[in-house]
Amino acid sequence: MGGLMEEEMRAIHVAPWMHIITENGGLHLDELLPASGSVYVARLNGHDMPDEVSVFQKFWETLKFPEYFGWNWHAFYDCLRDLQWLSSDYHILIIESAENVLSEDDAACEEFFGSLWRAGQRWSYTKRPEGVTLSKFSVVLSCGKDSESGLARRLGKFQDQRHA
C-alpha cells in the first residue's frame, strides 16, 4: 500500500519552475503556492492544442494575452515573460495531456517547450525562509506514465543548454 501511494504522488522536478506529473500523480501544494500574494492558475489541455494556431488561441484565451499579441513564437515567449496584465504575483500553468501538444509537429513542439522553459528561467525563482524554492512562473505538465520519460528527456535538453 505504501508503494502505491508513493507511485501516485510521483513528480519529476525538471527545474524549480518545471514539473512533470503522471495522470494520477500530483504535487504537494506547498511546492507551488506562495506563503502570500495573488496567484493566477491557468489550465489547458494538450488535446486542444494539436497545431500552432490552436496553441496560440488557447494561451491567448486562458492567459488573456493582449490584443497586440503577434500570433508567432517570438510574441508567444514575449507574452509569457511579461504577464503584467494579469496583475498577480505568481502564475501557475497546468497542461494536462502535455504529450499531445503539437504531437505531429516536432519543430513547433520544440519552440513551445523552449518558450515555456525560457519564460520560467526569466521569471527565475526565490528561496522561501523555510528553504523551499518557489518560482513566480511554474509549469506543471501532466502526462501518461508511458510519456513521462520522453517528456523529461525533451525538457532535459533545455536544462543541458543552460549549463553549456
Side-chain angles (χ1 to χ4, degrees):
M1 174 102 162
L4 179 59
M5 182 61 111
E6 287 174 17
E7 184 65 27
E8 286 178 5
M9 293 305 291
R10 181 156 187 235
I12 298 175
H13 303 284
V14 183
W17 60 87
M18 187 79 66
H19 314 275
I20 300 172
I21 60 171
T22 55
E23 289 167 341
N24 293 326
L27 291 170
H28 295 282
L29 285 179
D30 64 349
E31 294 181 45
L32 294 176
L33 297 178
S36 65
S38 60
V39 180
Y40 186 87
V41 179
R43 291 184 76 115
L44 296 127
N45 191 314
H47 289 293
D48 298 334
M49 299 183 284
D51 54 49
E52 288 183 22
V53 172
S54 61
V55 167
F56 297 148
Q57 181 70 38
K58 292 298 180 186
F59 272 78
W60 185 76
E61 292 169 358
T62 307
L63 289 174
K64 302 176 183 176
F65 282 2
E67 290 296 323
Y68 58 80
F69 172 56
W71 299 83
N72 60 59
W73 291 114
H74 291 293
F76 180 75
Y77 168 69
D78 285 345
C79 284
L80 288 177
R81 70 186 181 116
D82 188 353
L83 299 175
Q84 68 178 347
W85 53 87
L86 294 177
S87 67
S88 51
D89 301 316
Y90 298 89
H91 310 87
I92 300 174
L93 177 60
I94 300 168
I95 303 175
E96 297 171 4
S97 302
E99 70 273 26
N100 292 302
V101 176
L102 298 161
S103 60
E104 300 298 316
D105 188 340
D106 274 345
C109 193
E110 199 74 12
E111 287 281 351
F112 173 75
F113 285 114
S115 295
L116 292 179
W117 183 269
R118 289 190 326 274
Q121 257 183 330
R122 176 78 163 79
W123 280 96
S124 87
Y125 55 92
T126 57
K127 287 248 185 218
R128 295 199 301 200
E130 59 272 19
V132 176
T133 303
L134 181 69
S135 177
K136 291 188 173 234
F137 178 83
S138 296
V139 180
V140 178
L141 303 169
S142 175
C143 64
K145 288 184 183 197
D146 56 336
S147 302
E148 179 183 38
S149 61
L151 194 52
R153 271 194 306 279
R154 178 182 290 275
L155 295 170
K157 292 177 193 175
F158 300 114
Q159 192 172 34
D160 293 342
Q161 290 172 4
R162 181 183 70 180
H163 297 297

